[in-house]
Amino acid sequence: MDIHRILSKHGYTVHPLVAEGERALTMVGELHPDLVLMDIQLRGPMDGIAVAQAILETSKVPVIFLTANSDDTTFQRAKLTAPYGFLTKPFEERELYTAVETALYRSRLETRLRESDARYKSLYNTTPALLYSVAPDGTVTDVNNHWLEKMEFRREDVLGKNITEFMTEESRHSARKRNQTVFRDAKSSNVPYQFVTRFGRTIDVLSSATPEKNAAGEIVGAFVVMQDISENVRMEQMLANERNLFATIVETIPYAVYAKDVHHKFVIANAKTVALLKAASKEDVLGKTDAELLPAEHADINYRIEAEILRCGRPILSVDAVRRSTTDGSLEYCEQVSKVPYYDAAGRIAGIVGVNKDITAEKRTEET
């Protein structure tokens, strides 16, 4: 009654007193109080410690024990219920107020911590990134749902295992060397690894690791983010294959095949083009214009034709370009030229593709 009066005086809302442990437990479930002040000795079969244990397991409402019995056995038993404080009778009003305020403050902090941890867990398990944590020896200590889904494992199959067990042999060797860097307080970013799923599929990833530290600043593990780049790798391989196929086709065509950008610079030139321009190698052609490779009059003709194609998008097809002797007018060289625009992904003209076919022999036969 005295405690009830003191707490009410300090502005707390205090519920009616309860003498029996079973009734106290029922009221906690009904009223959801911020704090329970409880004597260890109660009426009925449940003492205060038993009630506190039940509260800890069900509602986690903080408990302060009020007791005249301070023997070590009782104290050790009470400690198992994680109480927020002990007040040994008799106690002063100030002592009571301080214990209550301290318990409420600690309870609020722990509530916020639990809420923060719940938000973190929710974010951790719903993010589309592949996340896991490891101990310094590489043992998996945590893993998120998306990692499990992508890797096709159950959580119990992963926790406690070494992360390298889920890698290819080559990646396993690389990871063991790199782990020492992370645990020397250095981050690692976008390191390529290959993981193997439960059913044998290989996944290409970029892995970034950050050291995890305890309150004393000691490194106790690493937090790792994996980005699945399997589709990117597959596309790059397809593009590489297509580029190789394209290059092979261009080189085996028995004509001069080339491409220029909107600035009239060569971006593709096969061996026939290099020979036609009388250049030493492909490197001497790429990035240059006709003005740097041909006599001015020929370069000017090509420039005007290509400028018109770039302007209006209209190709020229199978036009004969003839070069004759300035002395007797005999045929020196004749080629059949086709030039068409090519377009970028946005549908804009990005340059021209040209094919020059040497028809000098056919032209001479025709004229003869």
Side-chain angles (χ1 to χ4, degrees):
M1 296 286 290
D2 191 40
I3 292 171
H4 192 292
R5 179 186 58 77
I6 292 171
L7 294 178
S8 298
K9 184 181 73 172
H10 283 284
Y12 298 109
T13 299
V14 186
H15 295 296
L17 305 180
V18 178
E20 299 81 12
E22 292 86 345
R23 179 58 184 154
L25 195 56
T26 301
M27 286 189 64
V28 168
E30 293 174 351
L31 301 174
H32 306 291
D34 298 313
L35 178 66
V36 172
L37 297 179
M38 184 155 52
D39 202 312
I40 289 179
Q41 300 300 323
L42 300 177
R43 293 179 189 168
M46 292 184 76
D47 67 1
I49 296 175
V51 175
Q53 184 62 45
I55 291 173
L56 177 67
E57 294 171 356
T58 56
S59 59
K60 299 193 184 310
V61 175
V63 172
I64 292 178
F65 283 122
L66 311 172
T67 181
N69 188 352
S70 58
D71 66 274
D72 188 62
T73 302
T74 303
F75 178 73
Q76 293 300 329
R77 181 168 163 247
K79 274 176 58 177
L80 298 177
T81 67
Y84 278 56
F86 287 90
L87 283 173
T88 304
K89 305 171 188 177
F91 44 80
E92 300 293 330
E93 179 178 331
R94 185 65 187 173
E95 189 180 357
L96 172 64
Y97 176 73
T98 301
V100 168
E101 279 298 303
T102 301
L104 291 173
Y105 177 71
R106 176 184 160 192
S107 176
R108 285 193 293 267
L109 285 181
E110 291 185 356
T111 299
R112 286 200 293 268
L113 183 61
R114 285 195 298 270
E115 291 172 349
S116 176
D117 186 59
R119 286 194 296 269
Y120 165 76
K121 281 294 185 183
S122 176
L123 179 63
Y124 185 80
N125 280 312
T126 56
T127 180
L130 287 77
L131 310 177
Y132 66 89
S133 295
V134 291
D137 62 356
T139 301
V140 180
T141 56
D142 201 2
V143 61
N144 78 338
N145 292 342
H146 191 60
W147 194 99
L148 295 171
E149 179 184 339
K150 180 66 69 171
M151 293 292 294
E152 303 168 317
F153 283 101
R154 296 170 302 180
R155 193 175 302 275
E156 56 268 29
D157 297 329
V158 179
L159 297 181
K161 301 288 183 63
N162 195 289
I163 191 63
T164 58
E165 294 182 31
F166 306 99
M167 296 179 177
T168 61
E169 184 61 37
E170 183 179 352
S171 291
R172 190 176 299 140
H173 180 69
S174 175
R176 285 169 180 161
K177 291 192 300 184
R178 287 184 178 274
N179 276 353
Q180 300 307 313
T181 300
V182 175
F183 293 111
R184 286 196 299 267
D185 204 12
K187 295 181 180 180
S188 66
S189 299
N190 296 330
V191 180
Y193 290 120
Q194 284 190 322
F195 278 70
V196 181
T197 71
R198 181 182 180 187
F199 299 107
R201 290 190 304 109
T202 300
I203 296 178
D204 292 277
V205 305
L206 289 179
S207 179
S208 299
T210 303
E212 289 186 319
K213 299 180 181 180
N214 61 18
E218 301 165 331
I219 296 176
V220 294
F223 176 74
V224 185
V225 180
M226 283 177 20
Q227 178 187 358
D228 182 3
I229 58 167
S230 302
E231 186 63 20
N232 294 358
V233 170
R234 189 182 70 83
M235 292 297 295
E236 287 175 3
Q237 290 173 342
M238 287 180 56
L239 289 173
N241 292 339
E242 290 179 1
R243 283 194 295 268
N244 291 336
L245 176 62
F246 174 73
T248 301
I249 292 173
V250 168
E251 287 298 333
T252 54
I253 292 175
Y255 313 133
V257 180
Y258 51 89
K260 299 176 183 177
D261 62 19
V262 291
H263 304 294
H264 303 269
K265 293 181 179 181
F266 284 93
V267 292
I268 294 174
N270 68 354
K272 289 284 186 181
T273 302
V274 174
L276 179 64
L277 295 169
K278 297 181 172 59
S281 67
K282 190 177 295 185
E283 288 68 30
D284 294 326
V285 175
L286 298 180
K288 295 182 179 179
T289 65
D290 285 339
E292 300 170 90
L293 300 166
L294 294 173
E297 57 180 310
H298 295 159
D300 185 59
I301 292 171
N302 287 344
Y303 179 85
R304 284 188 284 107
I305 292 172
E306 291 166 6
E308 182 63 17
I309 294 173
L310 293 172
R311 185 186 68 81
C312 66
R314 188 179 301 115
I316 62 166
L317 302 172
S318 301
V319 174
D320 291 350
V322 180
R323 186 170 72 245
R324 295 185 179 277
S325 170
T326 55
T327 55
D328 60 4
S330 61
L331 180 67
E332 290 184 345
Y333 179 77
C334 183
E335 61 184 2
Q336 193 175 73
V337 179
S338 296
K339 294 183 178 182
V340 299
Y342 69 87
Y343 298 83
D344 61 19
R348 297 183 294 263
I349 295 177
I352 64 106
V353 173
V355 179
N356 291 18
K357 178 184 178 183
D358 184 355
I359 58 170
T360 304
E362 293 91 328
K363 195 69 174 177
R364 282 175 177 160
T365 300
E366 179 186 317
E367 290 190 357
T368 300

